[in-house]
Amino acid sequence: MESGIRLSSLCLLLCLGPVAGFGVDPSLRIDVLSELQLGGSAEGVRQVPGLHNGSKAFLFPDTTRSVKASPETAEIFFQKLRNKYEFTILVTLKQAHLNSGVILSIHHLDHRIYERVVEKPFMDLPLGTTFWLGQRNNAHGYFKGIMQDVQLLVMPQGFISQCPDLNRTCPTCNDFHGLVQKIMELQDILAKTSAKLSQAEQRMNKLDQCYCERTCTIKGTTYREFESWTDGCKNCTCMNGTVQCEALICPLSDCPLNSALAYVDGKCCKECQCKFYCGGCFIIPGFFLTLNHICVCTGHDFCTEGHNCMEHSVCRNLDDRAVCSCRDGFRALREDNAYCEDIDECAEGRHYCRENTMCVNTPGSFMCICKTGYIRIDDYSCTEHDECIMNQHNCDENALCFNTVGGHNCVCKPGYTGNGTICKAFCKDGCRNGGACIASNVCACPQGFTGPSCETDIDECSDGFVQCDSRANCINLPGWYHCECRDGYHDNGMFSPSGESCEDIDECGTGRHSCANDTVCFNLDGGYDCRCPHGKNCTGDCIHENKIKHNGQIWVLENDRCSVCSCQTGYVMCRRMVCDCENPTVDLFCCPECDPRLSSQCLHQSGELSYSSGDSWIQNCQQCRCLQGEVDCWPLPCPEVDCEFSILPENECCPRCVTDPCQADTVRNDITKTCLDETNVVRFTGSSWIKHGTECTLCQCKDNSPCCSVL
């Protein structure tokens, strides 16, 4: 199925096999062969005996043909297909060997596609859309072989039908997509559940050590939730694990006669104290300090006899008493300076930090911190810092560093592109065939390719890198090669890389020879011989496709006009037509590389290169070919990888075998194999988990080996 309309994604089910008796509502089914009314010579196909049950079958040859629905018939198809997301193609077919063709095509104008599998479209088919069978359009994608019972089923969403073979149920694409989505959701749930389980195990291990009630600890003392206490001249409460304090509010008091308000040791508020007479003075404790209520001389050390100065406050002696004084950088919380709090010089603008600095408050003082990109001159000043000279920049190794005021700029070097912190090499002509640009105009080519732009495929066969068995030929392929059994040999099923598994075909015993009836077939190693019995005069004729071909006769294959065969003494030898582009009558159908028309050229997917008709190239691990102005791409064939662990290296298209399962992208998972994680929990192969005690380390069990990586 191909569509010439470049739309989103197409979901279709393709059932190949006998379809007779397929019980579906007739209103949902389209019999394509009956609607097209094939049988005339104009289409280029002919009716042949059916592959089964006597139904009509048609041979599609590899020649120019036009199997196209009339506008009226196409509209019947499109009325059922429009705005549908799912449909099923039912077809019985026998495809010719090595043929790559289109079963049916919905084509509109000259829109070109680059994929063989079309993404899901919204089937809003415009006017002018055409319907083709066995070809993409009038010139491309010819299917070669026999078709029978071609039917289209336009099924409602969620419709479950009965498959024609083995009486089993066929799900729709919607069912399949739903199943895939559910599997992905289950995998996500499993990973999240494993992570939560690991975290729960960690918390349970520490549960015995956990004191769950929120408490507050101040100066070595633990207070419970909502418990209150007095800290100096502040009332404090433990609220939700946080200490909240407020300054103590002292009540107003009226003192009786011969008494006055004065501070008392251990109290924050003034209390009424009695006055008494001493040496002609009224002495009030706390106002004029005395020793045992006796007047003393100047210079007495009152501080050593005890004081009430708290943290951040110091005791100072006066002539007649001791007083408290707040340290530098602190202010008093009450009149006697016994309690002091820090002054935030930064917030109040009482600092000396100059330009290019930031003020940071500290207990009793402040600091001047240099801004980013500047270095210190003294405690209060900073000057510009050259990060480039000091190698303190974040520029890429392929970038140039330019110093600026307060910072720097990064600019990629010539031959590199990026934002300066990340610079990637730039190759003017690009790197083809999966190559990677690693330096200015320098490509690192994947295995099997060479050249400045990795444009040249290494021919391992002609360059002597490969030695195939004598019964096999070396076939060069883009990026690799393989040994293919020569004519007259076939593989015994072991498929050895060098062709040792090729063995002789007994053409005589299997009837795969071309000897005429008047000769006798003798099997040889890698071939056979048509021998004339003694005494007979043999013609040397050949039998080809049940027809007699005379000795020396040359003919073009009926179903492949690009192949020429000849009969030589009982042997039939066929080969592709030799293309002579100098010949003005050359067949462009067989020799597209000889087409000189500009309209037959193709533009590379990047839009920077053009190719002539017949040219081939590799793009994004796909083999692409230009054919008369249209590009066709298909997945690049890769050699078989017969190993437990394989990896697909970056910028390469084919996987390779590795011995370390932790390096592998693909592992042949065996559910009987398990791993022990770091907590001795058994993990099955393919399972993933977050490593115990971490949040960013993901581990996966690969064939008895736990493999971990940082996310």
Side-chain angles (χ1 to χ4, degrees), residues 398 412-420 422-427:
N398 294 310
C412 293
K413 295 178 181 178
Y416 295 84
T417 60
N419 60 6
I422 299 176
C423 295
K424 294 184 178 180
F426 174 73
C427 295

Side-chain angles (χ1 to χ4, degrees), residues 107-126:
H107 195 83
H108 182 247
L109 302 178
D110 268 337
H111 296 289
R112 299 171 182 170
I113 61 173
Y114 296 105
E115 298 84 16
R116 291 197 171 195
V117 178
V118 182
E119 298 291 331
K120 176 181 178 181
F122 177 71
M123 297 292 286
D124 186 10
L125 303 172

Side-chain angles (χ1 to χ4, degrees), residues 356-370:
N356 307 324
T357 64
M358 294 182 295
C359 180
V360 177
N361 188 60
T362 61
S365 185
F366 62 91
M367 293 178 60
C368 300
I369 306 299
C370 292

Side-chain angles (χ1 to χ4, degrees), residues 206-351:
K206 297 181 179 180
L207 191 58
D208 294 337
Q209 308 169 9
C210 178
Y211 182 56
C212 296
E213 182 181 9
R214 292 182 179 272
T215 60
C216 303
T217 302
I218 300 295
K219 299 178 181 177
T221 303
T222 299
Y223 299 93
R224 301 184 66 179
E225 181 81 356
F226 304 122
E227 185 176 357
S228 298
W229 68 96
T230 300
D231 182 7
C233 291
K234 295 182 288 185
N235 286 329
C236 300
T237 304
C238 181
M239 299 290 292
N240 196 27
T242 302
V243 177
Q244 298 182 3
C245 296
E246 295 179 351
L248 190 66
I249 300 176
C250 295
L252 298 176
S253 300
D254 291 331
C255 295
L257 187 65
N258 296 326
S259 67
L261 288 173
Y263 286 111
V264 180
D265 290 345
K267 300 294 182 69
C268 288
C269 295
K270 292 181 179 180
E271 296 181 359
C272 293
Q273 300 292 313
C274 294
K275 301 179 182 178
F276 56 90
Y277 188 78
C278 177
C281 300
F282 281 101
I283 305 301
I284 301 175
F287 284 82
F288 300 97
L289 296 178
T290 65
L291 182 62
N292 296 326
H293 306 293
I294 299 173
C295 295
V296 297
C297 300
T298 302
H300 182 74
D301 188 355
F302 297 97
C303 292
T304 58
E305 298 173 356
H307 60 83
N308 63 344
C309 301
M310 307 304 291
E311 186 180 11
H312 308 311
S313 177
V314 294
C315 180
R316 302 184 188 278
N317 286 300
L318 300 180
D319 289 341
D320 56 352
R321 67 187 184 280
V323 296
C324 295
S325 176
C326 291
R327 297 180 185 274
D328 291 341
F330 294 87
R331 66 162 61 94
L333 285 172
R334 70 182 194 182
E335 295 174 357
D336 63 351
N337 293 335
Y339 292 89
C340 304
E341 67 175 356
D342 177 53
I343 299 172
D344 189 342
E345 294 86 355
C346 299
E348 298 180 10
R350 300 171 62 177
H351 62 84

Side-chain angles (χ1 to χ4, degrees), residues 363-670:
S365 185
F366 62 91
M367 293 178 60
C368 300
I369 306 299
C370 292
K371 294 182 179 179
T372 303
Y374 294 85
I375 57 176
R376 182 174 301 280
I377 299 176
D378 53 34
D379 290 343
Y380 309 107
S381 307
C382 297
T383 188
E384 184 182 347
H385 174 50
D386 193 332
E387 294 97 338
C388 299
I389 294 178
M390 302 299 294
N391 199 28
Q392 296 178 351
H393 57 80
N394 60 347
C395 299
D396 188 270
E397 62 180 355
N398 294 310
L400 300 175
C401 180
F402 296 94
N403 191 59
T404 60
V405 176
H408 62 277
N409 286 334
C410 302
V411 179
C412 293
K413 295 178 181 178
Y416 295 84
T417 60
N419 60 6
T421 57
I422 299 176
C423 295
K424 294 184 178 180
F426 174 73
C427 295
K428 179 181 178 182
D429 297 326
C431 298
R432 306 183 192 177
N433 299 318
C437 187
I438 59 173
S440 178
N441 294 320
V442 177
C443 294
C445 300
Q447 185 178 9
F449 294 94
T450 186
S453 301
C454 306
E455 73 281 2
T456 304
D457 171 50
I458 297 175
D459 190 342
E460 293 86 354
C461 300
S462 63
D463 292 345
F465 293 111
V466 181
Q467 186 66 42
C468 293
D469 189 84
S470 60
R471 295 164 292 183
N473 290 327
C474 181
I475 306 299
N476 184 60
L477 294 171
W480 65 292
Y481 69 94
H482 77 104
C483 295
E484 184 178 275
C485 294
R486 295 169 51 192
D487 291 340
Y489 298 90
H490 68 157
D491 200 279
N492 61 11
M494 299 302 292
F495 300 103
S496 62
S498 300
E500 295 93 342
S501 54
C502 295
E503 61 182 20
D504 175 57
I505 299 174
D506 186 355
E507 293 87 356
C508 299
T510 58
R512 297 172 62 178
H513 62 86
S514 59
C515 298
N517 294 334
D518 58 352
T519 58
V520 179
C521 178
F522 281 87
N523 187 61
L524 302 174
D525 186 28
Y528 62 91
D529 189 15
C530 300
R531 298 183 182 179
C532 186
H534 182 69
K536 292 188 65 175
N537 185 17
C538 299
T539 61
D541 293 344
C542 306
I543 298 177
H544 183 256
E545 295 183 350
N546 298 322
K547 295 181 181 179
I548 297 294
K549 300 295 183 181
H550 298 298
N551 187 22
Q553 183 178 349
I554 300 175
W555 68 96
V556 176
L557 288 180
E558 181 179 353
N559 297 325
D560 183 2
R561 76 186 197 193
C562 300
S563 294
V564 178
C565 299
S566 63
C567 174
Q568 298 179 9
T569 318
Y571 288 102
V572 173
M573 292 182 291
C574 298
R575 60 175 175 81
R576 296 290 292 177
M577 180 185 297
V578 177
C579 294
D580 181 9
C581 296
E582 299 297 328
N583 186 352
T585 62
V586 66
D587 189 341
L588 297 181
F589 178 82
C590 300
C591 303
E593 64 271 22
C594 297
D595 192 342
R597 297 173 297 177
L598 290 177
S599 60
S600 296
Q601 293 183 351
C602 302
L603 194 63
H604 187 271
Q605 290 90 328
S606 65
E608 299 176 354
L609 301 171
S610 61
Y611 294 93
S612 300
S613 182
D615 287 349
S616 296
W617 68 97
I618 294 175
Q619 175 71 14
N620 295 333
C621 296
Q622 287 190 319
Q623 177 77 50
C624 299
R625 188 185 185 204
C626 175
L627 186 62
Q628 295 182 357
E630 291 198 8
V631 176
D632 195 12
C633 297
W634 57 94
L636 190 68
C638 289
E640 291 288 337
V641 178
D642 187 16
C643 54
E644 278 193 289
F645 315 119
S646 60
I647 184 174
L648 182 60
E650 187 177 1
N651 299 320
E652 293 193 20
C653 299
C654 297
R656 299 182 187 177
C657 293
V658 292
T659 56
D660 183 0
C662 292
Q663 294 181 355
D665 297 327
T666 304
V667 178
R668 291 182 182 174
N669 287 328
D670 183 351

